Amino acid sequence: MAALVTFEGSEGAGKSTQAALLRDALGQDASLLAREPGGTPLGEEIRRLLLHSAPMAAEAEMLLFMAARAELLEKVVRPALAAGRTVIADRYHDSTLAYQGGGRGCATWWPESFPRPDLTFLLQLPPELGLQRALGHGRKPDRLESEDAAFHARVVGAYEDLARREPERFRRLDATLPQDVIHSAVLAAVRELSVSAR
Ligand code: T5A
């Protein structure tokens, strides 16, 4: 079934873990896992600039995230959807709306050429707990992770607003639960999607 399923949430909420579990459950032939920013040679270069370079204008940051996304859509996502695969995106355009819109205060929009996800999982976890999880193994924080608590609180608030505005698309998940419990809820929602698509 061709569908775009996205995982969103603040730092360390378990998006990559759940995206990989879903890909394993659906199988590599039927699904494709894409990570943002990145997933293409250009996207990986942009990722390095975004996460590890010197400070940049908020709008430049937003447009770079969107440029990496445009490349990923053209090279990876659209071909996979056209081949009937389910694309599982570890972050997508809602991240830009939440981080650059909510966090930085940029004027955001949804480009017409960016497909709307069929289903979006919002993993909810207090940002300080997520940062502890993400940085727990002694990794140095990147540029976004280094932002202050108020920034991360605004990101969480922006995600809440997005989920409230589109209750059909968003499924909120309690990210403090064990991984397998969250995975069961994810799988049930994706199976429901494929039944309703028939
Ligand atoms: N960004 C991104 C923007 O500002 N705008 C945009 O448009 C986009 C696309 C990306 C950064 O860029 C920003 C957001 C980010 O700051 P990244 O390195 O890709 O940077 O970072 P994240 O996407 O935030 O990914 P993380 O790896 O930090 O977090 P995840 O993927 O949410 O969490 P995950 O699965 O790696 O798990 C973190 C740890 O928690 C454990 C895992 O084993 C792991 O150790 N864990 C759990 N522990 C307990 N219970 C559970 N249920 C657990 N699930 C996972």
Side-chain angles (χ1 to χ4, degrees):
M1 178 203 54
L4 177 57
V5 175
T6 63
F7 285 87
E8 294 285 354
S10 50
E11 313 294 326
K15 300 173 295 298
S16 307
T17 302
Q18 291 302 326
L21 287 171
L22 179 60
R23 188 265 324 271
D24 293 347
L26 298 182
Q28 306 240 5
D29 291 341
S31 66
L32 177 130
L33 180 54
R35 142 183 116 146
E36 285 212 22
T40 64
L42 176 62
E44 291 298 326
E45 277 192 47
I46 296 175
R47 179 183 176 89
R48 187 184 51 76
L49 284 173
L50 280 166
L51 299 189
H52 304 293
S53 77
M56 61 180 77
E59 199 171 20
E61 178 183 284
M62 176 179 77
L63 293 170
L64 281 172
F65 275 114
M66 292 172 72
R69 182 164 308 126
E71 180 79 356
L72 185 72
L73 283 166
E74 179 168 316
K75 301 277 165 60
V76 177
V77 174
R78 286 197 196 93
L81 291 173
R85 297 168 84 189
T86 295
V87 175
I88 302 162
D90 183 355
R91 293 198 181 278
Y92 185 55
H93 195 57
D94 292 300
S95 286
T96 297
L97 304 184
Y99 279 76
Q100 282 65 52
R104 300 266 193 241
C106 288
T108 56
W109 73 101
W110 194 296
E112 273 185 29
S113 59
F114 287 8
R116 293 269 173 183
D118 297 286
L119 190 57
T120 296
F121 294 104
L122 177 58
L123 287 155
Q124 297 184 295
L125 189 70
E128 58 280 7
L129 189 52
L131 281 165
Q132 267 172 32
R133 277 189 189 173
L135 303 173
H137 306 298
R139 179 170 67 73
K140 266 180 65 183
D142 63 37
R143 220 166 49 76
L144 278 299
E145 287 164 340
S146 303
E147 288 294 334
D148 62 17
F151 172 87
H152 291 290
R154 288 196 297 278
V155 170
V156 169
Y159 271 129
E160 259 307 312
D161 287 346
L162 291 167
R164 210 175 301 124
R165 261 184 259 144
E166 284 188 77
E168 296 283 298
R169 171 162 74 91
F170 277 89
R171 297 284 187 288
R172 290 184 178 84
L173 296 170
D174 177 355
T176 64
L177 293 170
Q179 292 179 13
D180 57 332
V181 174
I182 300 172
H183 174 60
S184 298
V186 166
L187 206 49
V190 170
R191 293 208 166 121
E192 203 179 292
L193 182 72
S194 61
V195 168
S196 58
R198 273 185 212 138

